[in-house]
Amino acid sequence: MATEANCPLLQTQAQACQSSLQLRDVLQDPARFERMALDAPHMLVDFSKNLVDDTALSGLLGLVERSGFAARRQEMLAGEVVNHTEQRPALHAVLRQRYVDKAGGDAAGQDAVCAGLHQMLALAQQLRASGQIQHVVHIGIGGSGLGPKLLLQALQPWCDGPQVRVVSNMDGHDLHQALQGLQPATTLFVVASKSWSTAETQRNLHSAQQWFAQQGGCNWPAHFVAITARTQAAYAAGFTQVLHMPEGIGGRFSVWSAVGLPVALAVGREVFEALLQGGAAMDAHFEQAPLQRNVPVWLGMLDVWYSSLMQVPARCVAPYHHGLRRLPAYLQQLEMESNGKCVREDGSPVHMPTTGMVWGEPGSNGQHAFFQWLHQGSQWVPVEFLAVRQPAHPFEEHHECLLANALAQAQALMQGAQAQPGQLPGHQDFPGNRPSTFILLDALTPQSLGALLAMYEHRVFVAGVLWGINSFDQWGVELGKTLATDLRQRMKDQNWAGLDASTAGLLSHCYQSA
Ligand code: F6P
C-alpha cells in the first residue's frame, strides 16, 4: 500500500517533476504521445500532458505492483468480500460480466446477482409495449438518482419511450415541478432506495402517493414500482411491484442494476444491454491489459500522484459533450463518497492526502467561467477533458469548433505563453505547465458510455487500493443524518435545550414570529 514507508522515493520524484519537468519541452518528442496515449474500449486516453516522466511512471507502476493490487482486483472481480466494514462484496462488475455472458442462456434470471436486472428489463419491455405509460417519475437520491439522471441525458438520442423526470431533493420544489401536467392513469412512479430508509426518498414517495390519490388515481400499487435491497420493507409498505438490488451493489455503482429501470423504460432493453456490454468490455480491459497499458490503473495511480505526492487538492472534469453535462456531479459521488476518507481499512490513519475534490462544468461553458482560474490562478489542478470524435448532431461546424476549443484549452494549459510586445506583461502571461488528461471517445453511444462509467469505477478502486482505503463504504454520511433526525424532533417540540449556541440561535431565529 502507498504508505509513507515506501513513498519517499516517489515523493522525491514528484518534487523533481513538479519543479523541473517542462511539458512543452518533453512534448517535442512524438514518442511521448505514442507511449502515453492508451487505447481502451471505445476510447483513446492521452496521458502525455501529465507531469510525469518515465522514472516517475515506473515508480508508480512499481507501487501498484507492491500494493497487492492484482490480488485485490481478482477478489473484487470474483465477487469476494472486499468491503470489510460491511462484510460485503462489490458486485457491479460481476453483475455486468454475468449478465453479458449469460444474457441469452438457460441460466438467465436464475442468478441471484442478476435476477433483479433480468426482471427489470422484462418489466421495461412489457411497459413500453403496453403504451399505457406516458410519464415516469423516478424518485431516488445519491446513487439511486445521479446515475439515472446522467444516463437519461447521455442517451437522449436513444430515448423513444415514456418521458422520465427524476426527483431527488427533499425540497418540495423538485417533486412539485416533476408532477406538473401529469395524469395518474398514464404515470408510473419508480422508487429506488437500496436501504428503503433514506429520508428524502421516503418523503417524496409519501407525497407522490398523496398526489396520486388527490388526483383521482386508482390502484396505486399498479402505478408504483419499488427497487430496493429491502424487498420485505417495500412489500410491507403495500408495493406489489418490487425489484431486488443485491446488497453487494453500492448505490453509486448501481445504475447497471434494477436501478436502471427509468433508463430502460426510456431507451429500451437493447440499448440498456449495449450499455452493460460496454461496461463489461472495460472490465475485461481492466482485468487483462498489462499495467503499462491499463487505463483505469493509470488514472488511479495518477490520482495518488497528484493528491498524495504533489498535494493537489482537486481535479477539474470538463466534458466537451452536452450529453455528459451531469458527469461532474456523478463523479463527485462516485469518487468523493468512495475515497473521501482518511482511515485505512484497518482503521489506522492514512497519513497523506487522499482523494481531492472533483468539480467541473461542461465545455465550452466552463471556458467563460472558471477557466481563467485554471490558466492564471495562483494554484493549479489537473484537468480531465472529455470529447468525442463523432457527434450525434448534424452541425459539423459546431463539432469542429468544440473539438478545437477542447484541444486548445489543454494545449494552452500545457504550453503557456509570454506577453508579446505591445501586450500587458504579467496580465497576459500564462504560466503553462499545467497538466491534463484527454479522454477521446469514438462517439457517445450506449457502449462507450458503459465503458466510460466502468473505467471511472475501476479508477476509484485502484486509487483506493493504493491508499489502503475501503472504497465501498460511506460511514461519513451517517452523523449528519442522525443529527437531522434529532433536530426534526426538537423542531416539533420547540426545544433547543442543550444545543450549541449557533444551532440553537439559528433555530430560534427560524421560529421567531415574522
Ligand atoms: O447517504 C448516502 C447514501 O447512502 C448513498 O451512498 C446512496 O447512494 C444514497 O444515500 C441513497 O441511498 P438509498 O439508495 O439507500 O436511498
Side-chain angles (χ1 to χ4, degrees):
M1 288 182 232
T3 59
E4 308 91 302
N6 54 14
C7 279
L9 185 58
L10 273 173
Q11 252 150 16
T12 311
Q13 286 166 352
Q15 275 159 14
C17 284
Q18 207 169 343
S19 58
S20 45
L21 189 141
Q22 283 300 323
L23 288 171
R24 64 178 157 260
D25 294 343
V26 293
L27 280 161
Q28 294 305 311
D29 173 14
R32 183 171 168 98
F33 178 79
E34 278 151 35
R35 279 198 314 276
M36 296 179 67
L38 309 190
D39 278 311
H42 308 287
M43 67 187 78
L44 178 81
V45 184
D46 175 19
F47 291 98
S48 64
K49 294 195 199 79
N50 279 286
L51 285 172
V52 277
D53 57 16
D54 290 344
T55 314
L57 278 172
S58 59
L60 283 167
L61 288 165
L63 181 69
V64 174
E65 275 167 6
R66 289 195 305 280
S67 69
F69 159 75
R72 297 300 313 278
R73 175 180 57 183
Q74 207 42 48
E75 282 165 20
M76 183 187 66
L77 296 177
E80 290 172 28
V81 170
V82 288
N83 172 357
H84 291 284
T85 61
E86 297 178 304
Q87 281 306 311
R88 289 177 193 160
L91 294 172
H92 46 285
V94 174
L95 172 83
R96 292 190 285 261
Q97 207 60 58
R98 288 203 197 159
Y99 185 87
V100 168
D101 286 352
K102 295 187 198 156
D106 295 340
Q110 308 285 315
D111 182 327
V113 177
C114 296
L117 173 57
H118 279 281
Q119 282 166 13
M120 179 279 272
L121 289 171
L123 180 63
Q125 212 168 9
Q126 177 212 319
L127 287 168
R128 279 168 60 91
S130 79
Q132 285 163 1
I133 298 300
Q134 286 172 13
H135 293 99
V136 175
V137 177
H138 177 85
I139 298 175
I141 196 165
S144 298
L146 287 163
K149 264 186 206 162
L150 170 68
L151 263 59
L152 287 162
Q153 289 177 348
L155 299 178
Q156 192 278 331
W158 287 268
C159 288
D160 59 1
Q163 192 200 89
V164 184
R165 303 174 184 185
V166 181
V167 176
S168 298
N169 206 316
M170 70 169 60
D171 179 345
H173 294 105
D174 201 2
L175 182 65
H176 181 65
Q177 282 169 18
L179 294 174
Q180 294 307 303
L182 303 191
Q183 301 299 326
T186 52
T187 301
L188 181 77
F189 290 87
V190 176
V191 186
S193 178
K194 182 178 167 183
S195 61
W196 204 252
S197 63
T198 301
E200 291 87 341
T201 303
Q202 291 299 319
R203 171 114 343 255
N204 279 318
L205 163 59
H206 184 66
S207 301
Q209 285 174 317
Q210 275 181 343
W211 174 90
F212 188 83
Q214 282 159 4
Q215 299 295 311
C218 303
N219 187 16
W220 76 262
H223 288 264
F224 282 72
V225 179
I227 304 164
T228 181
R230 306 265 182 275
T231 50
Q232 289 312 319
Y235 285 121
F239 279 76
T240 55
Q241 306 186 83
V242 179
L243 299 173
H244 180 245
M245 60 185 288
E247 274 295 356
I249 298 208
R252 52 195 177 273
F253 303 90
S254 68
V255 76
W256 318 91
S257 73
V259 171
L261 176 60
V263 183
L265 282 165
V267 300
R269 180 182 193 126
E270 281 177 17
V271 173
F272 198 89
E273 286 181 342
L275 177 91
L276 289 160
Q277 282 155 7
M282 184 58 74
D283 297 335
H285 169 86
F286 178 56
E287 185 176 16
Q288 291 157 20
L291 296 183
Q292 293 78 359
R293 307 300 295 173
N294 195 309
V295 168
V297 167
W298 277 53
L299 288 165
M301 69 189 195
L302 284 175
D303 286 342
V304 175
W305 180 247
Y306 287 119
S307 296
S308 302
L309 297 158
M310 293 193 176
Q311 313 228 336
V312 182
R315 182 175 103 252
C316 176
V317 176
Y320 279 69
H321 195 297
H322 189 62
L324 295 176
R325 61 195 178 280
R326 293 287 299 174
L327 184 68
Y330 178 84
L331 294 180
Q332 278 168 352
Q333 190 204 15
L334 180 63
E335 299 190 27
M336 295 167 78
E337 196 166 79
S338 298
N339 286 340
K341 297 166 190 168
C342 53
V343 290
R344 301 153 70 87
E345 291 201 61
D346 62 6
S348 64
V350 183
H351 288 313
M352 63 174 76
T354 59
T355 213
M357 179 179 67
V358 179
W359 59 283
E361 274 289 309
S364 59
N365 302 8
Q367 290 175 206
H368 302 275
F370 54 81
F371 270 54
Q372 161 68 38
W373 183 90
L374 290 177
H375 288 291
Q376 289 186 320
S378 58
Q379 299 159 66
W380 61 269
V381 297
V383 183
E384 197 159 282
F385 291 92
L386 291 101
V388 299
R389 291 165 62 199
Q390 296 295 329
H393 62 71
F395 306 111
E396 268 179 40
E397 289 284 322
H398 283 244
H399 182 61
E400 271 188 25
C401 284
L402 185 75
L403 202 48
N405 269 275
L407 289 165
Q409 292 300 326
Q411 193 185 17
L413 286 166
M414 175 273 292
Q415 71 186 27
Q418 285 195 335
Q420 297 298 302
Q423 291 187 323
L424 297 170
H427 298 282
Q428 288 179 283
D429 283 328
F430 293 80
N433 221 31
R434 300 194 166 192
S436 66
T437 297
F438 206 102
I439 300 173
L440 187 58
L441 300 180
D442 297 335
L444 185 60
T445 62
Q447 288 91 343
S448 71
L449 180 64
L452 184 72
L453 299 188
M455 178 194 84
Y456 278 114
E457 290 173 350
H458 294 319
R459 165 208 209 133
V460 161
F461 176 74
V462 173
V465 169
L466 295 181
W467 283 313
I469 281 175
N470 175 2
S471 302
F472 301 112
D473 61 13
Q474 59 282 321
W475 299 107
V477 302
E478 295 304 327
L479 178 59
K481 289 183 190 175
T482 308
L483 293 180
T485 308
D486 173 58
L487 290 185
R488 187 82 181 84
Q489 188 55 49
R490 285 170 173 276
M491 287 152 95
K492 286 193 176 121
D493 303 341
Q494 298 274 297
N495 168 20
W496 325 137
L499 284 175
D500 65 273
S502 168
T503 310
L506 289 166
L507 275 169
S508 72
H509 191 73
C510 288
Y511 285 87
Q512 261 168 22
S513 45

